[in-house]
């Protein structure tokens, strides 16, 4: 095709540039026949490519269908299923306690944890005592171990060493569903929660309002809108333990101030744990934990931590100057 295209181009170029000579020597018919020959040959080659391509697509689809059917058949065999699931560990749920509502006292006693496949512990001998109804904030750099505290409390992972207790009872003694229900009991008053989270100001502008499909993982919303929806879900929870993991990180200052007021009401009579990077969001917490490299390096309220002029005070100055 490339070679023939060159011949067509060359023939056309010769006719255009040498039209005087062609006309003088009466070569119009000969040049026209030569051009038609190359053009027809090119058309034939192009048709062969189309036929070959269509045939190849059919063959590829046929092979892919056979392959998929074979994989599905093999995967449906009981022995194969057993071998595939042999290495998958199920969540350990040997607890027996069912409590309607815990008070919310939380203790970490000498807790050490290393993620599977890692060599360095994410948490090292953590000791924390959180009274029921207390507001606690964890702050630190990314990878310091803040979120690991939440993962262990909710038993998405189990501690390697030490104990975590809720109301002086080891979390492993609670039935897993019952334990997590203390942090995820959801009511049905969605619209009120959306107003409290300042989400209704953009929801009402959508064609279907609260029934709008927002795509997988909220891809049709902006980062701030997704976070407001997440906060609205948190506001629905009537539970003794409230967990806020970077709940306002994607919001502008005005929205954050308004939502912080709503969260303040929500935190009443609840034990709340906040994971944050911005000091401005956790200054009023009863206890602030500064976590670095899996250890709690500073502990106290905002004023106490500022007074000792340590790592927390340094972080505060950096954020304030920035």
């Amino acid at each position: 095709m490339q070679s023939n295209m060159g011949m067509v181009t060359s023939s056309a170029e010769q006719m255009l540039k040498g039209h005087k000579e062609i006309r003088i020597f009466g070569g119009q018919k000969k040049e026209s026949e030569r051009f038609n020959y190359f053009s027809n040959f090119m058309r034939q080659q192009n048709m062969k490519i189309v036929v070959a391509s269509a045939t190849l697509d059919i063959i590829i689809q046929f092979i892919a269908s056979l392959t998929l059917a074979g994989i599905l058949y093999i995967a449906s065999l009981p022995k194969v299923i057993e071998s595939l699931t042999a290495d998958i560990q199920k969540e350990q749920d040997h607890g027996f306690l069912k409590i309607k509502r815990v008070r919310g006292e939380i203790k970490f006693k000498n807790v050490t944890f290393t993620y599977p496949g890692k060599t360095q512990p994410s948490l090292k001998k953590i000791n924390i005592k959180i009274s029921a109804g207390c507001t606690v904030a964890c702050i630190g750099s990314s990878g310091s171990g803040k979120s690991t505290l939440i993962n262990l409390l909710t038993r998405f992972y189990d501690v390697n060493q030490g104990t975590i207790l809720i109301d002086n009872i080891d979390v492993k003694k609670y039935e897993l569903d019952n334990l997590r229900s203390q942090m995820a009991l959801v009511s049905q008053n969605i619209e009120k929660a959306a107003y409290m989270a300042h989400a209704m100001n953009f929801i009402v502008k959508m064609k279907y309002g609260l029934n709008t499909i927002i795509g997988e993982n909220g891809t049709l919303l902006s980062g701030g809108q997704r976070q407001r929806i997440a906060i609205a879900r948190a506001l629905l929870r009537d539970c003794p333990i409230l967990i806020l993991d970077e709940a306002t990180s994607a919001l502008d200052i005005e929205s954050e101030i308004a939502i912080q007021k709503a969260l303040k009401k929500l935190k009443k009579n609840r034990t709340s744990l906040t994971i944050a990077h911005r000091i401005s969001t956790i200054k009023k917490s009863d206890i602030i934990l500064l976590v670095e490299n899996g250890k709690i390096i500073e502990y106290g309220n905002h004023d106490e931590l500022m007074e000792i002029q340590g790592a927390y005070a340094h972080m505060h100055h950096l954020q304030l100057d920035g």
Side-chain angles (χ1 to χ4, degrees), residues 45-170:
Q45 295 300 106
N46 189 54
M47 290 302 298
K48 288 181 180 180
I49 289 177
V50 171
V51 172
S53 178
T55 305
L56 187 62
D57 287 343
I58 294 173
I59 294 172
I60 291 173
Q61 290 180 17
F62 179 70
I63 293 173
S65 299
L66 286 179
T67 304
L68 180 60
I71 292 172
L72 292 175
Y73 172 73
I74 294 171
S76 66
L77 298 175
K79 290 184 179 180
V80 176
I81 295 174
E82 289 177 7
S83 65
L84 289 174
T85 57
D87 296 333
I88 300 176
Q89 293 184 355
K90 295 182 178 179
E91 288 186 313
Q92 299 297 312
D93 187 9
H94 303 303
F96 55 89
L97 283 178
K98 281 188 176 181
I99 296 178
K100 186 174 181 180
R101 187 180 180 91
V102 298
R103 297 192 315 276
E105 182 184 83
I106 300 170
K107 293 180 183 177
F108 283 69
K109 287 188 174 181
N110 294 316
V111 170
T112 297
F113 175 75
T114 305
Y115 282 102
K118 301 291 184 180
T119 56
Q120 294 296 323
S122 294
L123 294 177
K124 307 167 189 175
K125 296 184 178 180
I126 297 296
N127 287 282
I128 308 170
K129 182 178 179 180
I130 303 171
S131 302
C134 188
T135 301
V136 178
C138 296
I139 193 167
S141 59
S142 298
S144 60
K146 306 184 302 296
S147 295
T148 304
L149 292 170
I150 304 304
N151 289 335
L152 295 177
L153 179 63
T154 52
R155 285 203 62 206
F156 286 108
Y157 293 93
D158 282 328
V159 299
N160 302 133
Q161 298 175 19
T163 310
I164 299 176
L165 303 101
I166 295 180
D167 292 353
N168 289 315
I169 300 172
D170 191 329

Side-chain angles (χ1 to χ4, degrees), residues 28-39:
Q28 297 96 319
K29 183 178 180 181
K30 185 177 180 180
E31 290 295 330
S32 179
E33 288 175 351
R34 184 168 64 169
F35 183 82
N36 288 337
Y37 170 79
F38 288 132
S39 297

Side-chain angles (χ1 to χ4, degrees), residues 240-253:
I241 299 174
L242 178 65
I243 298 172
L244 302 171
D245 192 352
E246 293 291 341
T248 60
S249 62
L251 301 179
D252 56 65
I253 298 299

Side-chain angles (χ1 to χ4, degrees), residues 280-309:
S280 60
T281 64
I282 50 95
K283 289 174 66 173
K284 295 183 180 179
S285 300
D286 298 323
I287 300 172
I288 298 173
L289 309 174
L290 180 57
V291 183
E292 286 298 333
N293 297 319
K295 295 181 178 180
I296 298 174
I297 61 173
E298 291 183 10
Y299 175 99
N301 60 38
H302 175 76
D303 293 334
E304 291 170 345
L305 294 177
M306 289 299 294
E307 186 175 347
I308 63 175
Q309 287 296 302

Side-chain angles (χ1 to χ4, degrees), residues 195-199 224 227-228 231-232 235 247-248 251-265:
Y195 274 111
M196 290 178 68
H198 288 244
Q227 213 147 18
R228 291 189 196 190
I231 291 169
L235 290 166
T248 60
L251 301 179
D252 56 65
I253 298 299
E254 184 179 354
S255 297
E256 181 183 345
I257 291 172
I259 291 172
Q260 287 292 351
K261 291 179 180 179
L263 292 177
K264 184 178 179 180
K265 296 178 182 178

